Amino acid sequence: MTRRIIIDTDPGQDDALAILLAFASPELDVLGITAVAGNVPLALTELNARKICELAGRADAKVFAGADRPLMRPLITAEHVHGKTGLDGPDLPKPAMPLQAQHAVDFIIEKLRNEEPGSVTLCALGPLTNIAHVLIRAPELSTRIREIVLMGGGFFEGGNVTPTAEFNIYVDPQAAQIVLQSGVPVTILPLDVTHKALTTAKRVDRFRAMGTKSGDASVALLEFFERFDEEKYGSDGGPLHDPNVIAYLLKPELYGGRHCNVTVDTTNELTLGMTVVDWWGVTDRPRNAFYIRDVDDEAFFDLLIERVARLR
């Protein structure tokens, strides 16, 4: 049976690979793609989402623009990582497919109301602003969401935008805390796991060997994206974050973690956006998330490469 998902995203090269993986996987039914401001401003994230849909041969997919700024603070972007377009690397054509007129938050609310309760999974690849707006406007829908699977946070690895905070959570910490307090089942794929999934030269060469439009675009995306982290971490390749969300839905057996309490710091300047993970259960705070720490990185890349190779 296919799993019905909505991908909430701020593309982003790694978001692009996640979307390609979803479209190449018949186990997933992508109901829509909702764009949020994050890696770059909203006008670029919605444009990039449509470019990726067309790259995947899915001009029939529906893309919706959502929140253009976080709930309570100015937008912080990451052009220094992703380039001025957010998708620097390949030269992807201007998309012909239209942006949907409906607001992303309205679309998510409508889908949750109209689909079978517990049948829709929200896959969050960027800041959680759109999903927080849904939970603020229609809190009764929290019981209709099957699960929220998100890339964000970090604890054992620290942060990647401040010493303690990961980018997606730091951009909108208030939204992240709303999601974690919502009662919806939440699975978190943090830096602690994505830093184990590195785009080594050998892995990038496997994309190059495809000889397809999607394979060539993936190489250009990855080679641009990894340069920042290679310089930062001194590693062979950079961590490939967002595709882990989709891979987890496809093959959860590749991942290991535990249920624990996760809380976001929304007040302290030094640790703003930190995901405080009670990994050892030393508090009596309720377990509100499945926090993933381990991945079979070889099997993850095997899955990603095999699926993207199905696209032309």
Side-chain angles (χ1 to χ4, degrees):
M1 196 173 92
T2 58
R3 182 158 181 168
R4 317 198 83 186
I5 67 171
I6 295 171
I7 299 175
D8 190 63
T9 181
D10 62 336
Q13 289 88 355
D14 56 330
D15 305 70
L17 269 294
I19 294 167
L20 293 179
L21 176 58
F23 279 139
S25 299
E27 304 96 318
L28 302 177
D29 178 8
V30 182
L31 301 175
I33 295 178
T34 52
V36 65
N39 285 322
V40 286
L42 181 67
L44 288 171
T45 61
E46 61 87 352
L47 178 71
N48 291 345
R50 289 185 287 141
K51 286 181 177 180
I52 300 155
C53 289
E54 292 194 353
L55 174 64
R58 289 297 306 273
D60 60 311
K62 290 181 165 55
V63 175
F64 303 82
D68 63 358
R69 61 188 180 278
L71 295 179
M72 296 174 64
R73 55 198 303 253
L75 176 65
I76 296 159
T77 54
E79 287 88 351
H80 63 291
V81 177
H82 298 276
K84 67 181 188 302
T85 69
L87 275 188
D88 281 23
D91 184 18
L92 298 176
K94 184 178 178 182
M97 64 184 284
L99 178 69
Q100 300 298 308
Q102 189 177 26
H103 192 280
V105 174
D106 295 325
F107 166 74
I108 296 171
I109 289 173
E110 181 182 284
K111 278 294 176 191
L112 291 175
R113 285 197 172 130
N114 293 340
E115 299 291 329
E116 281 290 313
S119 67
V120 177
T121 297
L122 304 181
C123 301
L125 311 181
L128 291 158
T129 317
N130 284 339
I131 296 173
H133 276 298
V134 170
L135 293 166
I136 292 165
R137 276 183 43 195
E140 72 280 2
L141 296 181
S142 63
T143 59
R144 298 179 70 93
I145 300 169
R146 177 172 174 176
E147 187 179 8
I148 297 170
V149 183
L150 66 96
M151 189 278 132
F155 188 65
F156 302 95
E157 282 283 304
N160 63 355
V161 66
T162 76
T164 58
E166 178 275 331
F167 178 80
N168 286 344
I169 306 298
Y170 184 73
V171 170
D172 200 341
Q174 286 80 14
Q177 185 66 348
I178 286 168
V179 167
L180 286 166
Q181 291 178 329
S182 68
V184 178
V186 175
T187 294
I188 300 175
L189 292 112
L191 300 179
D192 305 314
V193 71
T194 65
H195 278 188
K196 296 173 181 174
L198 297 178
T199 61
T200 63
K202 189 178 290 186
R203 288 165 175 168
V204 174
D205 282 343
R206 292 175 66 189
F207 285 96
R208 189 176 283 111
M210 292 175 193
T212 63
K213 186 170 68 169
S214 294
D216 292 345
S218 296
V219 171
L221 288 164
L222 292 171
E223 288 188 335
F224 183 89
F225 178 61
E226 69 185 6
R227 92 216 181 285
F228 176 81
D229 286 320
E230 284 176 336
E231 186 175 325
K232 178 178 175 182
Y233 298 114
S235 55
D236 175 12
L240 192 57
H241 309 289
D242 293 333
N244 279 278
V245 168
I246 306 301
Y248 170 78
L249 294 180
L250 297 169
K251 290 197 172 183
E253 65 271 17
L254 301 184
Y255 295 87
R258 64 176 63 166
H259 285 94
C260 51
N261 181 270
V262 182
T263 303
V264 177
D265 187 343
T266 59
T267 57
N268 296 300
E269 183 181 349
L270 197 60
T271 53
L272 183 69
M274 180 180 183
T275 42
V276 181
V277 181
D278 187 8
W279 183 259
W280 300 112
V282 296
T283 74
D284 58 2
R285 292 196 294 269
R287 291 179 290 186
N288 61 344
F290 185 57
Y291 191 86
I292 294 178
R293 191 175 176 185
D294 296 306
V295 61
D296 180 341
D297 60 313
E298 283 294 343
F300 161 72
F301 273 97
D302 286 345
L303 173 67
L304 177 62
I305 291 162
E306 184 266 320
R307 294 301 171 91
V308 173
R310 297 179 181 186
L311 303 170
R312 302 327 302 157

